Amino acid sequence: MDGHHLPPSHQSPPAQPERRSSFNYDIESTDAAWRGAHTASEALLRYDDDGPREPLLRKRTTNTTSQIAIVGANVCPIESLDYEIVENDLIKQDWRSRKKKQIFQYIVLKWSLVLLIGLFTGLVGFFNNLAVENIAGFKLLLTSDLMLKKRYFTAFLAYGGCNLVLAASAAAICAYIAPAAAGSGIPEVKAYLNGIDAYAILAPSTLFVKIFGSILGVSAGFVLGKEGPMVHTGACIANLLGQGGSRKYHLTCNWLRYFKNDRDRRDLITCGSAAGVAAAFRAPVGGVLFALEEAASWWRSALLWRTFFTTAVVAVVLRGLIGFCRSGKCGLFGQGGLIMFDLSATIPTYSTQDIIAIIVLGIIGGVFGGLFNFLLDRILRAYSFINEKGAPYKILLTITISIITSACSYGLPWLAPCTPCPADSVEQCPTIGRSGNYKNFQCPPGHYNGLASLFFNTNDDAIRNLFSGGTEKEFHMSTLFVFFTAIYCLGLVTYGIAVPSGLFIPVILAGATYGRIVGTLLGPISDLDPGLFALLGAASFLGGTMRMTVSVCVILLELTNDLLMLPLVMLVLLISKTIADSFNKGVYDQIIVMKGMPFLEAHAEPYMRHLVAGDVVSGPLISFSGVERVGNIVQTLRITGHNGFPVVDEPPLSEAPELVGLVLRSHLLVLLKGKGFMKDKVKTSGSFVLKKFGAFDFAKAGSGKGLKIEDLDFTDEEMDMYVDLHPITNTSPYTVVETMSLAKAAVLFRALGLRHLLVVPKTPGRPPIVGILTRHDFMPEHIHGVFPNLHKSH
């Protein structure tokens, strides 16, 4: 229950007294399948042959906070991912029996998979751009031809009609096929890599809608980008390969069974998110740094090398395909698409006054970025009330925004004056055809309309025009002010609709515009070209909204091929991020909070230092005996939604009560399905389990494919029999003593990527386990529910 799509179709969760927008529904009142992640323990229940005994610990309220979040416009259960390596007899036996050939096969497969991820993501990125350039190009050419014939109203109907059909199509497939595909997708990928799983977040249907919805949405002229959706697309491709395909769509590969665990899938999805950025911006190094800085919560050197290989494959694929298209075989796809703004021809020389201007740009970017995030948060919460009413309302909202966007794009250029073409123009003026710096629009021959050159283009071409050097007088100041205001507002209202939509392009467009305004104003005293000021403005707004520094810096330098701007870009990013951080969080962090996802930050909150692990465990937690009655296990699995259970041996199985380890729900279901039951309660050697099952039988199934207790049937005789849990029990789970600081426990939990953290007593003579900490027990709403007088700042 993780929430995927915030933007477009999300609904804002009910307000909590203490925190953001997580939910506090009573999970126990819902169906077991809707009970998200295992809540920790308070009332430790034990089973004997007659059923549960009395609780051994004090009873507290069950933790039901933060276990549901928004996926699309639906409230769905949150599941946690488990990156811990399970060490039980079966897994140990499997590793001992593996030959060098199998280990080599695993390594080769892993590299083959990242190669395939890079290949497929590169192909999808190219296909997206090819489709957008041709669809949008056809639409713009049709409109231009009608305008040349002075049929202005017909031209508007053609332009608005095309946009309307494309927008409605994008919203329809998103609303009806995969609501989780709406929005950027970066918050969902970030949450997944933090350990949060949700229904349909990386499903094949989401991948399909992400690709085609993004093409339709960008072609419809919305102020949105395809870069954010490309990150989600790369993650979906990686997930599809990592789980061995899709059984539902008859796309399966048994040889991918090695990767049916959360750890390997996490690595692949990290590579996929990096490949998405590389495909969107043609920035392979920027993709790696984006995954490291923004997406991943967990990193290691081997993953860096593998991610770099993936993005290199993407770069090679794109370079080859673009070379093929230069021969003119790709329709209207040519200099447009796969945005590359080469500014290397402009040699930047800057002086003290330029540095002051850049500092001012950074401050402006921080203020505008903080304001953008604040307004976007309010707009998304307002949209949630519309989107939650159902698919028709989502489509209606999208159509409304489409009409407004078309009216602005076509109507505002009429307010701009016609400018005579510059005599020394390098490019053709006015532009004949689709892309170019000088759009004729309604102007007489030999003149161009500056506002139409920005509005009546694809977003990529508009950015290229703003970044272009040697065009100091191309755009009037009034033109830039009108364009900035329109893009800033349209970017805000567009992001919440039910269409796959990225924020990079609107932010770059708005930032480049006010950068150019500053550059034009300072023209008499500055040595920098206004095109370079546009680049710095884009950097400052990106830093102010997304709060990324290193990755944005490298992405912009790879986009513009202008390494000489490195010091200035670094300076403006640092200033804008610092200013904006004093107002609110980054835009993706805000969206994660708004969707109610239990995201674990890298640092613990200050008030956690005043609490210990034993303070926040909740329950009831049910433990099993090492040799347990089948009926007790079945009953527990039916009445709880917990995903992990402590296993405790008691006399006569052991001299004194002792904690054996932790057994997972999914493993219990596989064991019960095998029906290796005994009539007597005796500990076995585990030979039956080791002979009947292999490690792959306990591998994690793909989304929606796992066994459920409802799928299993047992006779009364079987319910009274026993099963030995020792062979499948993780005998070395991570444990902390109950007096450990909650702050330390939180850092440990996140750093190791855990799903369950066992809390054991400090003093002897007590039950061997106090409770289990899960992700939800570290959430502020749970902690403040248990300790309402606790101050967050302390």
Side-chain angles (χ1 to χ4, degrees):
M1 190 175 88
D2 155 354
H4 167 160
H5 153 176
L6 172 93
S9 20
H10 54 271
Q11 72 198 69
S12 101
Q16 289 286 308
E18 287 292 340
R19 182 198 185 207
R20 7 209 211 175
S21 84
S22 268
F23 313 95
N24 194 11
Y25 292 33
D26 181 5
I27 305 299
E28 298 302 328
S29 66
T30 63
D31 185 84
W34 285 68
R35 297 181 187 126
H38 168 117
T39 61
S41 94
E42 353 177 315
L44 179 58
L45 301 181
R46 286 277 178 68
Y47 278 101
D48 58 18
D49 294 346
D50 300 320
R53 299 185 200 156
E54 288 302 310
L56 297 176
L57 298 178
R58 68 188 184 282
K59 208 161 187 178
R60 253 190 231 142
T61 18
T62 302
N63 177 2
T64 58
T65 59
S66 71
Q67 296 183 22
I68 50 181
I70 298 168
V71 182
N74 304 320
V75 176
C76 292
I78 284 288
E79 289 286 340
S80 292
L81 299 169
D82 194 353
Y83 299 140
E84 182 181 358
I85 296 176
V86 174
E87 292 184 2
N88 58 33
D89 294 345
L90 192 69
I91 303 294
K92 290 175 185 175
Q93 172 69 21
D94 176 69
W95 275 105
R96 281 194 297 266
S97 63
R98 282 198 184 182
K99 299 180 175 60
K100 285 186 178 179
K101 177 184 175 183
Q102 290 173 300
I103 296 171
F104 179 74
Q105 183 184 21
Y106 170 76
I107 295 169
V108 169
L109 279 176
K110 204 163 195 177
W111 282 100
S112 302
L113 272 183
V114 295
L115 172 68
L116 289 174
I117 290 167
L119 179 65
F120 288 138
T121 308
L123 289 172
V124 168
F126 177 77
F127 170 71
N128 276 9
N129 284 278
L130 184 66
V132 167
E133 291 292 313
N134 282 284
I135 295 171
F138 169 79
K139 175 188 71 179
L140 293 170
L141 282 174
L142 173 65
T143 311
S144 298
D145 290 343
L146 289 169
M147 294 194 74
L148 288 172
K149 298 173 184 175
K150 310 293 184 186
R151 298 168 62 186
Y152 298 126
F153 185 69
T154 309
F156 173 67
L157 290 180
Y159 179 71
C162 288
N163 285 349
L164 199 63
V165 170
L166 292 168
S169 303
I173 63 170
C174 187
Y176 286 108
I177 298 176
S184 164
I186 291 176
E188 286 70 35
V189 173
K190 187 174 178 178
Y192 185 93
L193 293 176
N194 189 256
I196 303 168
D197 195 11
Y199 175 74
I201 189 173
L202 298 171
S205 58
T206 305
L207 172 62
F208 170 82
V209 173
K210 208 76 188 182
I211 294 172
F212 290 99
S214 178
I215 290 170
L216 293 169
V218 175
S219 303
F222 283 123
V223 182
L224 50 81
K226 50 189 176 293
E227 286 66 32
M230 269 308 302
V231 174
H232 196 177
T233 299
C236 288
I237 290 171
N239 182 66
L240 189 64
L241 291 171
Q243 71 179 26
S246 169
R247 193 176 301 168
K248 179 179 178 182
Y249 299 100
H250 306 292
L251 301 168
T252 54
C253 299
N254 288 330
W255 51 275
L256 291 175
R257 60 185 181 173
Y258 285 107
F259 305 100
K260 291 197 171 183
N261 63 78
D262 288 334
R263 290 174 68 85
D264 284 327
R265 285 185 196 170
R266 172 185 59 186
D267 289 357
L268 292 173
I269 288 166
T270 304
C271 292
S273 64
V277 173
F281 291 109
R282 283 169 65 190
V285 180
V288 175
L289 292 173
F290 172 84
L292 172 59
E293 181 181 7
E294 182 67 12
S297 295
W298 188 86
W299 198 262
R300 69 180 192 279
S301 56
L303 184 57
L304 178 69
W305 168 220
R306 209 169 284 123
T307 309
F308 186 65
F309 174 71
T310 312
T311 58
V313 172
V314 174
V316 170
V317 169
L318 290 179
R319 178 66 66 182
L321 290 171
I322 290 169
F324 170 75
C325 278
R326 286 197 176 121
S327 61
K329 297 177 182 176
C330 298
L332 294 166
F333 186 97
Q335 122 182 46
L338 288 170
I339 50 177
M340 186 78 180
F341 319 114
D342 196 337
L343 297 179
S344 56
T346 309
I347 306 299
T349 56
Y350 41 90
S351 55
T352 307
Q353 56 263 41
D354 294 322
I355 300 296
I356 295 171
I358 288 159
I359 292 172
V360 171
L361 259 185
I363 294 171
I364 293 171
V367 172
F368 276 149
L371 178 63
F372 187 90
N373 290 2
F374 172 79
L375 294 174
L376 187 66
D377 184 82
R378 294 295 180 272
I379 289 170
L380 293 181
R381 291 179 186 277
Y383 278 180
S384 69
F385 294 108
I386 301 172
N387 288 330
E388 70 185 1
K389 293 181 179 179
Y393 288 88
K394 296 182 194 177
I395 298 171
L396 188 62
L397 176 62
T398 305
I399 288 173
T400 305
I401 301 299
S402 174
I403 293 170
I404 293 171
T405 305
S406 297
C408 288
S409 301
Y410 189 86
L412 290 176
W414 289 91
L415 305 177
C418 290
T419 309
C421 287
D424 57 349
S425 170
V426 180
E427 289 192 28
Q428 183 181 14
C429 179
T431 302
I432 304 299
R434 183 182 62 82
S435 60
N437 269 32
Y438 304 101
K439 285 280 186 177
N440 180 258
F441 206 64
Q442 89 291 10
C443 295
H447 291 69
Y448 71 94
N449 185 318
L451 204 48
S453 300
L454 297 175
F455 268 123
F456 226 60
N457 260 326
T458 59
N459 292 332
D460 291 358
D461 284 330
I463 295 172
R464 192 174 286 105
N465 291 347
L466 287 167
F467 279 4
S468 58
T471 55
E472 292 85 350
K473 298 179 181 176
E474 179 183 345
F475 300 108
H476 290 282
M477 191 62 70
S478 59
T479 294
L480 294 173
F481 271 113
V482 170
F483 186 69
F484 170 72
T485 305
I487 291 299
Y488 194 90
C489 296
L490 287 173
L492 283 168
V493 299
T494 303
Y495 188 69
I497 61 176
V499 170
S501 50
L503 274 174
F504 273 99
I505 293 301
V507 167
I508 291 175
L509 264 178
T513 307
Y514 73 67
R516 199 169 181 101
I517 290 173
V518 172
T520 306
L521 288 173
L522 298 179
I525 62 169
S526 173
D527 298 327
L528 284 178
D529 187 276
L532 297 179
F533 269 107
L535 168 65
L536 293 170
S540 71
F541 201 22
L542 283 168
T545 53
M546 298 178 185
R547 315 295 158 82
M548 292 182 280
T549 50
V550 181
S551 52
V552 164
C553 181
V554 173
I555 286 170
L556 287 173
L557 294 179
E558 288 185 280
L559 273 180
T560 56
N561 194 25
D562 192 357
L563 198 59
L564 293 172
M565 291 294 288
L566 176 62
L568 301 183
V569 174
M570 290 173 67
L571 177 64
V572 80
L573 277 168
L574 289 170
I575 294 171
S576 63
K577 174 178 164 53
T578 304
I579 297 291
D581 277 341
S582 63
F583 295 118
N584 47 35
K585 287 187 172 186
V587 64
Y588 298 131
D589 294 318
Q590 278 193 179
I591 290 169
I592 286 172
V593 169
M594 190 185 310
K595 300 182 88 165
M597 298 184 199
F599 190 87
L600 288 175
E601 300 289 351
H603 59 276
E605 297 292 342
Y607 59 79
M608 289 186 178
R609 293 195 297 266
H610 304 293
L611 300 172
V612 296
D615 288 334
V616 297
V617 288
S618 51
L621 175 74
I622 297 169
S623 76
F624 292 129
S625 172
V627 179
E628 187 58 81
R629 181 172 166 268
V630 173
N632 289 341
I633 299 175
V634 172
Q635 180 189 6
T636 300
L637 295 180
R638 283 176 178 164
I639 65 172
T640 72
H642 298 179
N643 287 288
F645 302 90
V647 177
V648 177
D649 270 350
E650 294 179 311
L653 297 177
S654 61
E655 292 182 2
E658 65 177 35
L659 177 65
V660 178
L662 187 80
V663 65
L664 300 181
R665 181 188 191 91
S666 57
H667 292 184
L668 284 172
L669 290 168
V670 174
L671 187 64
L672 290 175
K673 187 180 180 183
K675 298 197 174 183
F677 307 145
M678 310 171 296
K679 289 189 176 180
D680 300 316
K681 188 174 182 177
V682 291
K683 187 175 179 180
T684 66
S685 63
S687 57
F688 167 78
V689 174
L690 297 178
K691 288 177 183 175
K692 183 173 178 62
F693 297 104
F696 291 125
D697 293 321
F698 292 89
K700 181 173 180 177
S703 52
K705 300 175 191 170
L707 267 179
K708 296 182 175 61
I709 187 63
E710 293 81 8
D711 302 331
L712 305 180
D713 290 316
F714 303 96
T715 64
D716 291 340
E717 183 182 0
E718 287 172 335
M719 294 286 272
D720 285 327
M721 297 177 77
Y722 294 88
V723 62
D724 189 357
L725 303 181
H726 290 93
I728 64 165
T729 299
N730 179 8
T731 53
S732 54
Y734 286 97
T735 61
V736 295
V737 71
E738 60 183 334
T739 53
M740 175 184 264
S741 157
L742 189 62
K744 278 190 176 182
V747 172
L748 177 72
F749 192 93
R750 183 187 189 272
L752 295 173
L754 303 180
R755 184 170 189 173
H756 307 100
L757 182 60
L758 276 60
V759 181
V760 296
K762 185 177 183 180
T763 53
R766 296 169 54 194
I769 178 167
V770 174
I772 294 182
L773 288 174
T774 64
R775 169 179 299 271
H776 307 283
D777 295 306
F778 295 104
M779 292 298 107
E781 58 268 36
H782 168 60
I783 296 172
H784 289 283
V786 178
F787 300 99
N789 297 323
L790 190 67
H791 294 290
K792 289 188 178 183
S793 57
H794 293 168

